[in-house]
C-alpha cells in the first residue's frame, strides 16, 4: 500500500515533489496516466503506476512522449481525466501533436507535466519547456514546493475542463526532487465512465476559426488567473524593489530577503500562473515601484512577458528599471540559489551580502582545490556498455580507417567520456544517433570512406530509433547499428519498456523483440554478448569491414545494477601480485589507465593493480583485458565468502 | 537548535545517500519539524558525487539548497567528498561525521589525478571543523555483512553526536518504517555499531 494513495484527508507526509504531483492527480480523480521516463520527471508516473490498482486508474509507460500524450488525449476525448508526464525534452517530442490539440480542444481534464532540469543535472540540455505555452496557446502553471505541486496539479484539471484545453504544469528539478511536507486533501470519487460522444469531434478545422477560439481560451485563462491563489504578494504596498518570481526560486528569494534583513524594502510577487499572465494583477504591482527583479529558472520567460506588458502600457506606467537575466543581474544559465539572489540584491540595492565567514570559505576552498580530485562520471562496475565500447574501440582500430561512433541518449551517452574510451563523437536527442548515421552512410558517393557505428539503447530504439532504421533500409544507408540491449531504461531508474515483457503497473505485457523487428526489415542481425570481448570484437570488425548495407548487432547483457538485484555476478576477482608487473610491464597500467573500471584500483605503495572489493561486482570482464593474465577470476563460492 | 539547522549528506553514487536522508527526514517529521530535503543526483549516480541537503526548522519551510557557508553538520559517506562540501558550505562551527574509506575516482586509478594522503585529508577536515568524527565505517561494514551497510553505520555515528534533535530511538523507529522487514535486523546491527563507534 503506497502512502500516496491513502484516503486520509488532513494527513501530512514528507513527499517528493513528483509524488505530490501524482497525489494531486489522484485527488483530482484522474482515470488515465501515460508518460515516458526521463529525470527529473520519472517518479510521477512511477507513483501513479504503483497506486493504480489501489485507486483504480490506469497507468502506462508509453513508447515515447508523443504517444503518451495522444493516448491521454483519447481519455480526455472520452470525457475522463488524464495526465501525461515527461522531462523538458519530451515536450519537444509532443509539440507537433500539442499544437494541433490546442485547436481541436479537449473534454475531460487533460494535464501535461513537464519537469525541467536547470543546470542539466540529469539532461543533455538545459531547456525551458514553458515555450510550449506560447507556441501551443496553452496555459502554463508553476509550482514552488511539493505542497504547491499537489494543489496546482489538482487545479490544472479543473482549469482544463473549464477551458476545454490542455493545461501544462511546469516543475523543476528542485521541486520534483525535493521532499517537503504535504497535506493530503480528499480523493475525488465517482469518476465518469469513459464514453465518446459521436455527436462531437476533435479536429482543427476550420483552421483560422479554431485559431481564434484558441486565443479566446487563453484570454479567458488570463481572466481566471487575476484572482488565482497561486499568485501571492508579500511585502509593503510600495516596495523599493519588487521581485517577480516563479518556481522554487521563491524560497531562495524569501531566504535571501530574510538573511539580508530586507523584509521592509523588498516585495515578493510569486507567480504560479505563468502563462498567460494576468494583466491587471501584474500592472497593479508594476505601478507600486520602479525597480523590478525577475527570478526564474532557465529562460527569461516571465521577464520578457512582463516587459512586453509594460511596453504596451508605455507612458501610463512610466519608466521602469528591470533586472534579471537580460540585464546580467541573474546568470542566464544554470540553477538559481539563495546566494545568487542575494548577490543580485546586493548589486541592485547596494546592501551588504549575508554574513558568512569568507576567510573560512577561502581557506576551505584552497584546501579543496589542492586536495580534492575530480570525480568524473563513469559506467558502473560491471556495466555491459564499458565492455561494448571496449570492443568497438578495438574493432575500429583493427579496421584502421578512422571509424567512429554516433550516439544518443541513455547511460551509453557516457561513451563521449574516457569511461567509454571517448568513442562516441555525437550526442543529441533520443534516436538521433541512428538518424545521423543514415546520413554518414550515404556520403560514400561523395568520397566519405570512414566506417560508422551507431549505438542505441533498447528503450531508445523503441522510442525513436525505428523510423530511422526503416529509413536506412529504404535508402540503403551503410552503417553498423549496435542495439545495446540491457533490458532496462537504466538511466532513469529501470522502468520497463516494450522489450521487457512487463508493463508499468507490474503486469506482464506484450514483448517486442528488437531482433525479430530488425529481421522483419530484412537486415542482417547478429546477437552478441558484450562480456565476450574477443568474440564481440571479431563480430564487430567483420561487420565494419563488410560495409555494404545497414547491419544490426544486438549486444545482449543486463544492466549491472539489474543483475545485482537479481542475484549478482558469478566471480570473485583478484590481481595476482606476482604476475602484475605494474609500471615495469610495458602495458603502462593498461587495466586501470585505459579500461578504467572503478573496481580496479592502482595501489601506489606496491605499484601494482588491485581489486577494490567494495566496488567490484564480479563480472569478470577485466580478466580478458590484462595481457599478462594477472587478473584472475574464480567462481565466487570458492575461497572466502562474498 | 539553530533555526534553520542545515545538514548535508554527501557521498558517491551508489552509497545510499538518499536512503540516509529519507530516514533522517522521516524521523524529524515525526518529531514535528518542518523540513525540506533537496537531493542532487541525476547523472551523477554513475560514479559522480551526490548530496542531500536537509533543512530543519520549527518555524518555516526552507528552500532545498543550503546557502553557502551555512552547513551546521556534514555527514560524509566518503572522505574527499566531505572536503568538497566544506569548500562551499562549511563554516567554523560545522561538525563533520566522516567515513574514512575512500572511493577512488576513476581518474585517480588511471593516474590522471591524485587522492590525498588520508592523514593529511583527515587533518585538513579536522582543521575546518569544530568537531570531527572519523569513522572506519567500511571496516565495520565488512565485518558485519557488506559495504552496502556503510550508510546506516554512518547514521548510527551521526546519532551518537547528538547534533540533531533526535535520539537513537527516533532514528530506529524511522529505520523500521523505511527498511523492509527482511533486512531490518542487519540494519539495526549496523546502526548500533555506528552508534558505539561514534561514542567511542
Ligand atoms: S545503470 Fe546499468 S546501464 Fe547504466 S551505467 Fe550502470 S550498469 Fe551501465
Ligand atoms: S570484474 Fe573487473 S570489470 Fe568486472 S566489476 Fe570487477 S573490476 Fe570491474
Amino acid at each position: 500500500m503506497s502512502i500516496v494513495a491513502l484516503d486520509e484527508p488532513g494527513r501530512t507526509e514528507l513527499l517528493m515533489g513528483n509524488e505530490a504531483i501524482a497525489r494531486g492527480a489522484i485527488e483530482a480523480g484522474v482515470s488515465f496516466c501515460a508518460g515516458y521516463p526521463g529525470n527529473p520527471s520519472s517518479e510521477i508516473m512511477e507513483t501513479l503506476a504503483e497506486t493504480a490498482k489501489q485507486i483504480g486508474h490506469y497507468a502506462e509507460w508509453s513508447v515515447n512522449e508523443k504517444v503518451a500524450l495522444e493516448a491521454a488525449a483519447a481519455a480526455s476525448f472520452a470525457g475522463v481525466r488524464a495526465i501525461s508526464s515527461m522531462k523538458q525534452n519530451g515536450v519537444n517530442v509532443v509539440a507537433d501533436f500539442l499544437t494541433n490539440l490546442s485547436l481541436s480542444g479537449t473534454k475531460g481534464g487533460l494535464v501535461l507535466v513537464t519537469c525541467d532540469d536547470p543546470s542539466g543535472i540529469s539532461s543533455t540540455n538545459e531547456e525551458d519547456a514553458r515555450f510550449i505555452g506560447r507556441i501551443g496557446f496553452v496555459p502554463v502553471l508553476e509550482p514552488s514546493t511539493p505542497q504547491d505541486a499537489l494543489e496546482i496539479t489538482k487545479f490544472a484539471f479543473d482549469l482544463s475542463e473549464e477551458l476545454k484545453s490542455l493545461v501544462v504544469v511546469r516543475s523543476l528539478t528542485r521541486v520534483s526532487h525535493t521532499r517537503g511536507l504535504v497535506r493530503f486533501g480528499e480523493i475525488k470519487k465517482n469518476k465518469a465512465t469513459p464514453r465518446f460522444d459521436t455527436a462531437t469531434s476533435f479536429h482543427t478545422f476550420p483552421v483560422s476559426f479554431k485559431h481564434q477560439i484558441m486565443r479566446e481560451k487563453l484570454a479567458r485563462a488570463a481572466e481566471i488567473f487575476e484572482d488565482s491563489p497561486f499568485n501571492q504578494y508579500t511585502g509593503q504596498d510600495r516596495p523599493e524593489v519588487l521581485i517577480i518570481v516563479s518556481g522554487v526560486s521563491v524560497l531562495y528569494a524569501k531566504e535571501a530577503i530574510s538573511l539580508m534583513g530586507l523584509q521592509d524594502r523588498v516585495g515578493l510577487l510569486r507567480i504560479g500562473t505563468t502563462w498567460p499572465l494576468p494583466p491587471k494583477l501584474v500592472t497593479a504591482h508594476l505601478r507600486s515601484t520602479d525597480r523590478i527583479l525577475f527570478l526564474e529558472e532557465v529562460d527569461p520567460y516571465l521577464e520578457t512577458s512582463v516587459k512586453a506588458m509594460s511596453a504596451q502600457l508605455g507612458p501610463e506606467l512610466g519608466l521602469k528599471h528591470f533586472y534579471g537575466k537580460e540585464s546580467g543581474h541573474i546568470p542566464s544559465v544554470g540553477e538559481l540559489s539563495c546566494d545568487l539572489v542575494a548577490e543580485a540584491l546586493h548589486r541592485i540595492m547596494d546592501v551588504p551580502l549575508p554574513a558568512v565567514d569568507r576567510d573560512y570559505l577561502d581557506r576551505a576552498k584552497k584546501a579543496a582545490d589542492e586536495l580534492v580530485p575530480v570525480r568524473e562520471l563513469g559506467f558502473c562496475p560491471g556495466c555491459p556498455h564499458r565492455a561494448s565500447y571496449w570492443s568497438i574501440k578495438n574493432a575500429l582500430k583493427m579496421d584502421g580507417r578512422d571509424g567512429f561512433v554516433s550516439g544518443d541518449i541513455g547511460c551509453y551517452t557516457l561513451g563521449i567520456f574516457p569511461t567509454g574510451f571517448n568513442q562516441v563523437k555525437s550526442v543529441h536527442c533520443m534516436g538521433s544517433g541512428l538518424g545521423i548515421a543514415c546520413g554518414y552512410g550515404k556520403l560514400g558517393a561523395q568520397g566519405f570512406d570512414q566506417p560508422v557505428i551507431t549505438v542505441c539503447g533498447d528503450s531508445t530504439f523503441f522510442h525513436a530509433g525505428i523510423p530511422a532504421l526503416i529509413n536506412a533500409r529504404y535508402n540503403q544507408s551503410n552503417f553498423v547499428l549496435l542495439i545495446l540491449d540491457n533490458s532496462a531504461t537504466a538511466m532513469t531508474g529501470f522502468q520497463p519498456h516494450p522489450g521487457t515483457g512487463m508493463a508499468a503497473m507490474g503486469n506482464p505485457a506484450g514483448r517486442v523483440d528488437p531482433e525479430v523487428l530488425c529481421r522483419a526489415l530484412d537486415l542482417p542481425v547478429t546477437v552478441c554478448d558484450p562480456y565476450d570481448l574477443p568474440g564481440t570484437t571479431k563480430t564487430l570488425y567483420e561487420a565494419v569491414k563488410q560495409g555494404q548495407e545497414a547491419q544490426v548487432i544486438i549486444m545482449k547483457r543486463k544492466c549491472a545494477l539489474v543483475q545485482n538485484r537479481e542475484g549478482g555476478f558469478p566471480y570473485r576477482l583478484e590481481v595476482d601480485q606476482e604476475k602484475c608487473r605494474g609500471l615495469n610491464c610495458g602495458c603502462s597500467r593498461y587495466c586501470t589507465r585505459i579500461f578504467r573500471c572503478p573496481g580496479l584500483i592502482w595501489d601506489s605503495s606496491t605499484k601494482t593493480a588491485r581489486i577494490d572489493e567494495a566496488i567490484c561486482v564480479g563480472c569478470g570482464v577485466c580478466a580478458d583485458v590484462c595481457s599478462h593474465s594477472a587478473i584472475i577470476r574464480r567462481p565466487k563460492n570458492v575461497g572466502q565468502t562474498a | 537548535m539553530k533555526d534553520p539547522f542545515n545538514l548535508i549528506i554527501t557521498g558517491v553514487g551508489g552509497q545510499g545517500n538518499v536512503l540516509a536522508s529519507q530516514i533522517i527526514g522521516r524521523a524529524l517529521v515525526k518529531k514535528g519539524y518542518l523540513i525540506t530535503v533537496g537531493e542532487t543526483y541525476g547523472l551523477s549516480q554513475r560514479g559522480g558525487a551526490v548530496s542531500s541537503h536537509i533543512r530543519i526548522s520549527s518555524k518555516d519551510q526552507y528552500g532545498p539548497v543550503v546557502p553557502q557557508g551555512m552547513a551546521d553538520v556534514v555527514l560524509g559517506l566518503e572522505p574527499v567528498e566531505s572536503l568538497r562540501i566544506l569548500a562551499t558550505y562549511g563554516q567554523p562551527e560545522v561538525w563533520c561525521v566522516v567515513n574514512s574509506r575512500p572511493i577512488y575516482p576513476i581518474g585517480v586509478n588511471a593516474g590522471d589525478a591524485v587522492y590525498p594522503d588520508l592523514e593529511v585529508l583527515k587533518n585538513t577536515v579536522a582543521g575546518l571543523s569544530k568537531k570531527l568524527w572519523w569513522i572506519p565505517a567500511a571496516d565495520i561494514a565488512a565485518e558485519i555483512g557488506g559495504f552496502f551497510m556503510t550508510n546506516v553505520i554512518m547514521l548510527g555515528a551521526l546519532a551518537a553526536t547528538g547534533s540533531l534533535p533526535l535520539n537513537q530511538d527516533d532514528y530506529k523507529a524511522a529505520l523500521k518504517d523505511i527498511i523492509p522487514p527482511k533486512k531490518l535486523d542487519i540494519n539495526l546491527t549496523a546502526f548500533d555499531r555506528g552508534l558505539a563507534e561514534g561514542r567511542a
Side-chain angles (χ1 to χ4, degrees), chain A residues 73-214:
Chain A
S76 163
F77 298 159
V80 296
R81 294 187 157 187
I83 192 168
S84 187
S85 66
M86 58 202 62
K87 70 182 297 178
Q88 77 270 9
N89 309 77
V91 177
N92 304 334
V93 178
V94 305
D96 197 8
F97 176 61
L98 192 152
T99 50
N100 286 281
L101 178 66
S102 46
L103 269 79
S104 85
T106 57
K107 187 174 174 190
L110 182 60
V111 176
L112 184 159
V113 184
T114 168
C115 299
D116 293 5
D117 190 16
S119 287
I121 296 173
S122 39
S123 302
T124 50
N125 73 353
E126 180 177 35
E127 179 182 337
D128 196 322
R130 292 178 295 179
F131 78 91
I132 202 69
R134 286 195 179 129
I135 67 159
F137 289 83
V138 286
V140 178
L141 306 173
E142 289 192 81
S144 297
T145 63
Q147 176 72 52
D148 218 34
L150 184 157
E151 307 293 347
I152 276 196
T153 307
K154 217 156 96 175
F155 165 68
F157 284 95
D158 293 337
L159 181 66
S160 166
E161 277 169 16
E162 177 161 357
L163 299 174
K164 302 207 175 334
S165 163
L166 172 80
V167 172
V168 173
V169 173
R170 188 247 195 171
S171 182
L172 295 159
T173 302
R174 299 286 177 204
V175 177
S176 283
H177 281 178
T178 289
R179 286 171 201 279
L181 290 175
V182 173
R183 193 161 191 275
F184 290 1
E186 290 203 25
I187 296 179
K188 184 170 179 266
K189 311 274 164 33
N190 312 320
K191 293 181 210 175
T193 304
R195 177 159 182 85
F196 190 91
D197 176 359
T198 50
T200 61
S201 56
F202 297 88
H203 55 71
T204 62
F205 299 101
V207 172
S208 293
F209 174 68
K210 290 278 178 78
H211 190 182
Q212 185 57 37
I213 292 184
M214 197 162 93

Side-chain angles (χ1 to χ4, degrees), chain A residues 130 142 144 244-250 271 274 295-296 302:
Chain A
R130 292 178 295 179
E142 289 192 81
S144 297
I244 301 184
V245 53
S246 73
V248 65
S249 306
V250 67
I271 296 287
T274 301
L295 302 176
E296 58 191 320
L302 279 173

Side-chain angles (χ1 to χ4, degrees), chain A residues 321-343:
Chain A
H321 296 279
F322 292 113
Y323 308 99
K325 292 177 189 268
E326 295 196 321
S327 72
H329 287 80
I330 294 291
S332 324
V333 299
E335 287 196 288
L336 295 192
S337 63
C338 174
D339 304 311
L340 290 170
V341 177
E343 181 72 38

Side-chain angles (χ1 to χ4, degrees), chain A residues 179 255 360 375 589 612, chain B residues 37 55 81 101 109 128:
Chain A
R179 286 171 201 279
E255 190 161 7
Y360 172 98
R375 206 174 274 284
R589 297 169 55 175
D612 185 342
Chain B
V37 185
R55 319 286 313 270
E81 291 314 318
R101 167 65 147 88
N109 296 330
L128 292 166

Side-chain angles (χ1 to χ4, degrees), chain A residues 306-570:
Chain A
V306 172
K307 281 180 176 173
M309 211 176 253
S310 171
Q312 189 69 34
L313 293 166
E316 200 195 314
L317 271 184
L319 195 64
K320 302 285 170 194
H321 296 279
F322 292 113
Y323 308 99
K325 292 177 189 268
E326 295 196 321
S327 72
H329 287 80
I330 294 291
S332 324
V333 299
E335 287 196 288
L336 295 192
S337 63
C338 174
D339 304 311
L340 290 170
V341 177
E343 181 72 38
L345 288 172
H346 161 75
R347 280 177 62 195
I348 297 166
M349 303 178 74
D350 196 21
V351 286
L353 286 168
V356 292
D357 193 326
R358 310 247 160 227
D359 291 343
Y360 172 98
L361 285 174
D362 288 347
R363 209 154 40 90
K365 191 171 173 306
K366 202 167 148 260
D369 286 348
E370 222 168 85
L371 298 178
V372 178
V374 175
R375 206 174 274 284
E376 68 192 58
L377 297 177
F379 295 123
C380 303
C383 178
H385 298 332
R386 179 182 294 102
S388 294
Y389 282 123
W390 186 258
S391 300
I392 290 174
K393 172 172 102 86
N394 289 328
L396 288 177
K397 202 161 154 200
M398 276 159 68
D399 172 80
R401 286 176 296 160
D402 208 16
F404 61 97
V405 179
S406 160
D408 52 39
I409 312 295
C411 286
Y412 58 98
T413 301
L414 300 185
I416 57 175
F417 296 124
T419 192
F421 320 112
N422 307 99
Q423 293 298 295
V424 176
K425 302 300 178 192
S426 62
V427 168
H428 301 84
C429 68
M430 297 288 283
S432 64
L434 252 163
I436 289 174
C438 282
Y440 292 128
K442 292 306 292 180
L443 286 177
Q446 335 286 321
F448 185 86
D449 61 358
Q450 292 163 280
V452 172
I453 291 178
T454 178
V455 289
C456 188
D458 38 1
S459 188
T460 309
F461 179 65
F462 295 120
H463 179 288
I466 293 170
L469 189 59
I470 294 175
N471 184 63
R473 168 74 183 125
Y474 169 55
N475 287 308
Q476 297 181 295
S477 185
N478 158 26
F479 58 81
V480 179
L481 162 66
L482 255 65
I483 300 180
L484 306 175
D485 183 355
N486 62 358
S487 306
T489 320
M491 188 88 239
T492 52
F494 316 107
Q495 295 80 6
H497 63 63
T500 61
M502 289 294 287
M505 286 158 63
N507 45 313
R511 183 169 137 34
V512 183
D513 185 343
E515 183 182 345
V516 174
L517 215 110
C518 295
R519 287 198 199 283
L521 292 178
D522 235 350
L523 292 167
V525 181
T526 319
V527 181
C528 277
D529 175 3
Y531 281 4
D532 170 12
L533 300 180
T536 305
T537 308
K538 183 161 173 280
T539 307
L540 268 169
Y541 172 72
E542 281 161 8
V544 165
K545 265 275 168 283
Q546 180 271 0
Q548 294 301 317
E549 56 179 333
Q551 302 171 68
V552 183
I553 299 177
I554 300 178
M555 300 289 228
K556 236 181 155 39
R557 209 14 121 153
K558 276 190 186 149
C559 157
L561 297 188
V562 171
Q563 187 61 44
N564 278 334
R565 291 177 183 188
E566 295 177 357
F569 288 88

